[in-house]
């Protein structure tokens, strides 16, 4: 990749990062505004009726979510096209956070915790953030599933949060890749190109080669040699 092309990719990634920051800021800002006006009585939930809320499960859910995030970002770091993958992660996160901000600004759900006095800042519908974490292997997927399940059992989220978050994130993820893995000459005519975020993302993807990215890993540093050799062996098995 030439210097000009690489600089262009970096600039796009910086812009995507800024979009992610703006969307995240809107979420935190709205959480601050609605914190004192949301109702305090939790809504009925089938899981809460069947399973008493477990306080310990909140910490377990956070641990699983953190592990899933580490695995996801490790995959991004090791991918040969790490800049493109990272930019896509930021863009999808910005879209999801933006949608979350819109939802929170129009409908105020009460916190799902029974023990509200022990929670400083109730965080409604945070599941969308966790669902966006990369579940890229058979190892990461069960960790993510158990993590989200623990957050529901702890009372940190309504079951509705999980179902809606899964539906939204999976559809946006696959729609995004369906569009931008299509040859560039056919993208504007594809049915999914009518989605509102298509032209927002078109600029970020216009210089990316057509088709899916090759699943190739590479250690981005020259040292340590042992890690470089290990990643090379893993990459040979992925092919």
């Amino acid at each position: 990749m030439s210097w000009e092309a690489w600089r262009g990719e970096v600039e796009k990634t910086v812009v995507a990062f800024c979009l992610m920051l703006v969307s995240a800021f809107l979420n935190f800002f709205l959480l601050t505004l609605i914190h004192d006006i949301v109702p305090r009585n939790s809504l009925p939930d089938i899981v809460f009726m069947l399973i008493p809320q477990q306080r310990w499960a909140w910490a377990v859910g956070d641990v699983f979510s953190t592990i899933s995030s580490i695995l996801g970002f490790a995959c991004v770091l090791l991918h040969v096209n790490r800049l493109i993958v990272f930019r896509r992660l930021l863009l999808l996160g910005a879209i999801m956070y933006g949608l979350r901000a819109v939802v929170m600004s129009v409908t105020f759900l009460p916190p799902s915790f029974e023990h509200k006095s022990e929670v400083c800042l109730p965080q409604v519908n945070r599941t969308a953030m966790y669902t966006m974490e990369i579940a890229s292997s058979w190892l990461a997927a069960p960790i993510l599933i158990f993590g989200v399940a623990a957050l529901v059992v702890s009372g940190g989220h309504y079951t509705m949060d999980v179902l809606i978050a899964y539906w939204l994130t999976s559809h946006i993820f696959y729609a995004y890749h369906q569009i931008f893995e299509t040859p560039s000459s056919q993208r504007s005519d594809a049915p999914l190109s009518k989605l509102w975020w298509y032209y927002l993302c078109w600029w970020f993807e216009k210089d990316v080669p057509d088709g899916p990215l090759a699943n190739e890993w590479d250690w981005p540093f020259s040292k340590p040699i042992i890690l470089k050799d290990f990643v090379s062996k893993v990459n040979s098995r992925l092919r």
Side-chain angles (χ1 to χ4, degrees), residues 7-77:
R7 186 179 63 179
E9 292 299 304
V10 172
E11 290 175 352
K12 292 178 184 178
T13 304
V14 172
V15 174
F17 180 74
C18 292
L19 290 175
M20 177 69 175
L21 284 182
V22 171
S23 295
F25 172 79
L26 285 175
N27 278 261
F28 297 135
F29 177 70
L30 287 169
L31 281 173
T32 302
L33 288 181
I34 68 177
H35 176 267
D36 295 326
I37 62 176
V38 294
R40 293 304 176 188
N41 295 325
S42 303
L43 298 175
D45 189 286
I46 186 65
V47 173
F48 301 163
M49 293 179 181
L50 298 176
I51 304 175
Q53 293 187 7
Q54 306 295 320
R55 301 182 186 183
W56 57 266
W58 175 260
V60 173
D62 278 345
V63 169
F64 277 119
S65 298
T66 301
I67 294 174
S68 181
S69 297
I70 293 173
L71 289 174
F73 280 104
C75 291
V76 174
L77 176 66

Side-chain angles (χ1 to χ4, degrees), residues 74-197:
C75 291
V76 174
L77 176 66
L78 296 176
H79 201 282
V80 171
N81 298 297
R82 57 188 62 87
L83 205 58
I84 296 174
V85 176
F86 183 54
R87 184 170 65 241
R88 289 179 175 178
L89 177 66
L90 293 173
L91 284 172
L92 292 173
I95 292 172
M96 289 306 305
Y97 262 126
L99 292 174
R100 180 173 180 255
V102 172
V103 171
M104 287 197 305
S105 65
V106 296
T107 302
F108 305 148
L109 292 180
S112 52
F113 289 106
E114 290 180 353
H115 46 287
K116 300 177 183 63
S117 60
E118 299 181 13
V119 182
C120 297
L121 293 174
Q123 298 183 40
V124 183
N125 292 334
R126 196 177 63 171
T127 313
M129 178 181 69
Y130 290 108
T131 312
M132 281 300 299
E133 294 165 359
I134 299 175
S136 57
S137 67
W138 293 107
L139 174 63
I143 292 176
L144 181 60
I145 292 172
F146 283 121
V148 174
L151 291 174
V152 175
V153 173
S154 72
H157 297 281
Y158 293 107
T159 308
M160 175 185 65
D161 291 347
V162 176
L163 297 177
I164 294 177
Y166 172 77
W167 182 82
L168 281 176
T169 52
S170 60
H171 278 64
I172 290 178
F173 178 88
Y174 288 113
Y176 185 97
H177 288 81
Q178 179 72 27
I179 293 175
F180 293 107
E181 288 179 1
T182 302
S184 55
S185 60
Q186 303 175 14
R187 290 174 185 172
S188 59
D189 297 326
L192 292 176
S193 66
K194 306 302 186 292
L195 293 170
W196 64 269
W197 45 261

